[in-house]
Amino acid sequence: MRELLDDLDRWRSAGVRVALARVVDVEGSGPRGPGAAMAVSEHGEVVGSVSGGCVEGAVVTESLAVLAGDREPGVITFGYSDDEAFAVGLTCGGTIRLFVEEFDW
Amino acid sequence: MSLSAELASRIRDGVPVALATVISGPGIGSKMLVAPDSDPAPASLGDSELDRVVRRDALAELEAGRSGVRHYGTAGQTTPEDLADTDIVTVFVESWAPPPQMWIFGAVDFTAALARVAKILGFRVLVCDAREIFATGRRFPMADEVRVAWPGPVFAERGSELGSRDVVCILTHDPKFDIPAVKGALATSAGYIGVMGSRRTHAHRLERLGEAGVDDPADLARLMSPVGLDIGARTPEETAISICAEIISSRTGREARPLRDTEGPIHR
């Protein structure tokens, strides 16, 4: 999250709402460990990354859904073995879990 | 100050801090800052006993520089029997520990390249040499600190700072500097001690260490010498990569072989 701080500050002082997605758990093979984070502004601006680019697109969608109130804050899971067939997989075959919430704290 | 502002200021100042966040179960989204040195910002996960147990666990995670998920009962229960009768609170503890340190002894040709690669890997780099004309900030602008000193006093003063994530690299080939540096490094808990020199140099060094009373096999086994992975490195830059690759593989406990020739998950 260290690399997001300046952007989070900038958005906060401009009154822009932001969602924060943090990797909390990685099983098997995953490119980024717990703590990898990205932030998505209500205008769809994105900083940071949570994988090697495999799931970032889906995380943006979920983050915007949290900001829009269409989704509760919570854990989302991405993985090769995920039962949800439409889910985005990691090319390296691992499973990652992210916690997505509004950055309002 | 908001919780995030308090967190940001600690992260920016390099002061250890952990953030505990409830990521599922009752109180989802609740947060608590945990720090070893001072009172964290007032915040709670919803139960004072849960706060106490999470704070204890978060301090341990912070000490190890780890981040991860733990499960508790709503009143901080942790044993399987107690957890059977309660809702489960899942807590993500994220740690921001100060950067690991690399102490480089010897202001030689290889030092600048090693310091540069170490900075890329996130180390706080100290360069130390007793020779005033070599140990200058101008020669090592990438180092966080350059000291003109003998190894003994530096280790006596600050050796207790070094832990398993920290590294000592001894690049001089001069016994009168090497021997006290090796001695000092062995008295610390540094996770990696690399000592430059050919096989012959190292054999001679072992003799001198023996004369200096350093002959415990367990101690000598900690010395990585000749230093670095065998990748055919020749230039200072290549050698720096070779040393840093060895530091990474010794921390992860992985054999440094081409992934093509190994099996199993890449990220474990």
Side-chain angles (χ1 to χ4, degrees):
Chain A
M1 201 156 93
R2 192 185 303 264
E3 71 282 9
L4 308 183
L5 295 177
D6 290 347
D7 289 297
L8 291 174
D9 278 355
R10 181 170 55 82
W11 281 325
R12 176 153 295 182
S13 52
V16 175
R17 294 174 64 218
V18 179
L20 182 64
R22 290 181 283 158
V23 175
V24 299
D25 196 20
V26 180
E27 266 172 43
S29 190
R32 301 284 309 271
M38 59 189 274
V40 181
S41 82
E42 59 182 323
H43 308 308
E45 260 191 282
V46 179
V47 293
S49 77
V50 293
S51 72
C54 316
V55 304
E56 273 73 0
V59 172
V60 170
T61 307
E62 300 297 331
S63 298
L64 291 172
V66 167
L67 289 179
D70 296 335
R71 180 191 217 297
E72 293 296 312
V75 175
I76 54 175
T77 303
F78 296 103
Y80 187 69
S81 57
D82 203 318
D83 293 337
E84 299 166 71
F86 63 87
V88 187
L90 291 170
T91 48
C92 44
T95 300
I96 67 172
R97 277 182 269 281
L98 299 104
F99 181 65
V100 185
E101 64 179 340
E102 180 164 358
F103 178 66
D104 56 1
W105 40 276
Chain B
M1 207 194 298
S2 67
L3 196 73
S4 62
E6 174 82 33
L7 175 66
S9 100
R10 282 177 167 267
I11 293 174
R12 286 191 170 111
D13 293 346
V15 180
V17 64
L19 173 66
T21 307
V22 175
I23 60 167
S24 74
I28 186 167
S30 309
K31 292 182 178 62
M32 183 169 71
L33 279 186
V34 179
D37 54 314
S38 63
D39 285 345
S44 169
L45 303 183
D47 178 272
S48 62
E49 184 59 14
L50 177 64
D51 289 349
R52 189 187 68 77
V53 177
V54 170
R55 178 173 289 120
R56 179 197 68 194
D57 292 350
L59 285 174
E61 294 286 275
L62 185 57
E63 178 79 21
R66 275 191 315 248
S67 298
V69 168
R70 286 166 179 262
H71 306 278
Y72 303 92
T74 50
Q77 301 94 319
T78 51
T79 63
E81 310 84 77
D82 290 343
L83 287 175
D85 304 325
T86 170
D87 285 337
I88 300 296
V89 180
T90 306
V91 177
F92 173 52
V93 173
E94 184 169 3
S95 296
W96 288 269
Q101 301 199 55
M102 179 186 284
W103 289 7
I104 307 175
F105 289 91
V108 298
D109 286 352
F110 291 92
T111 308
L114 180 57
R116 208 173 298 125
V117 177
K119 286 308 294 176
I120 291 172
L121 293 178
F123 284 97
R124 185 188 186 282
V125 176
L126 164 74
V127 173
C128 176
D129 195 304
R131 301 165 299 177
E132 205 165 336
I133 52 164
F134 292 121
T136 63
R138 186 180 304 186
R139 287 188 74 209
F140 304 106
M142 71 301 283
D144 297 281
E145 189 181 352
V146 178
R147 290 212 30 190
V148 181
W150 286 91
V154 175
F155 280 108
E157 181 192 331
R158 286 176 44 192
S160 61
E161 288 175 22
L162 300 183
S164 59
R165 302 185 307 143
D166 301 314
V167 163
V168 177
C169 291
I170 298 160
L171 305 186
T172 53
H173 296 64
D174 179 352
K176 70 176 183 294
F177 200 79
D178 271 15
I179 301 299
V182 169
K183 230 175 149 171
L186 286 173
T188 70
S189 307
Y192 175 97
I193 304 171
V195 197
M196 193 173 259
S198 65
R199 295 182 202 284
R200 202 176 51 188
T201 304
H202 188 56
H204 288 160
R205 187 183 290 127
L206 288 177
E207 287 172 24
R208 291 216 170 74
L209 283 168
E211 291 160 13
V214 181
D215 52 9
D216 182 342
D219 274 348
L220 298 177
R222 290 176 66 196
L223 303 179
M224 301 304 286
S225 186
V227 69
L229 292 183
D230 186 3
I231 57 172
R234 299 205 78 111
T235 65
E237 291 75 19
E238 289 171 355
T239 303
I241 298 284
S242 152
I243 294 171
C244 287
E246 181 170 77
I247 290 167
I248 296 168
S249 75
S250 82
R251 189 190 65 217
T252 58
R254 299 284 281 265
E255 275 184 70
R257 295 171 56 207
L259 285 166
R260 189 194 61 182
D261 300 339
T262 61
E263 291 180 344
I266 292 169
H267 311 283
R268 271 182 245 156

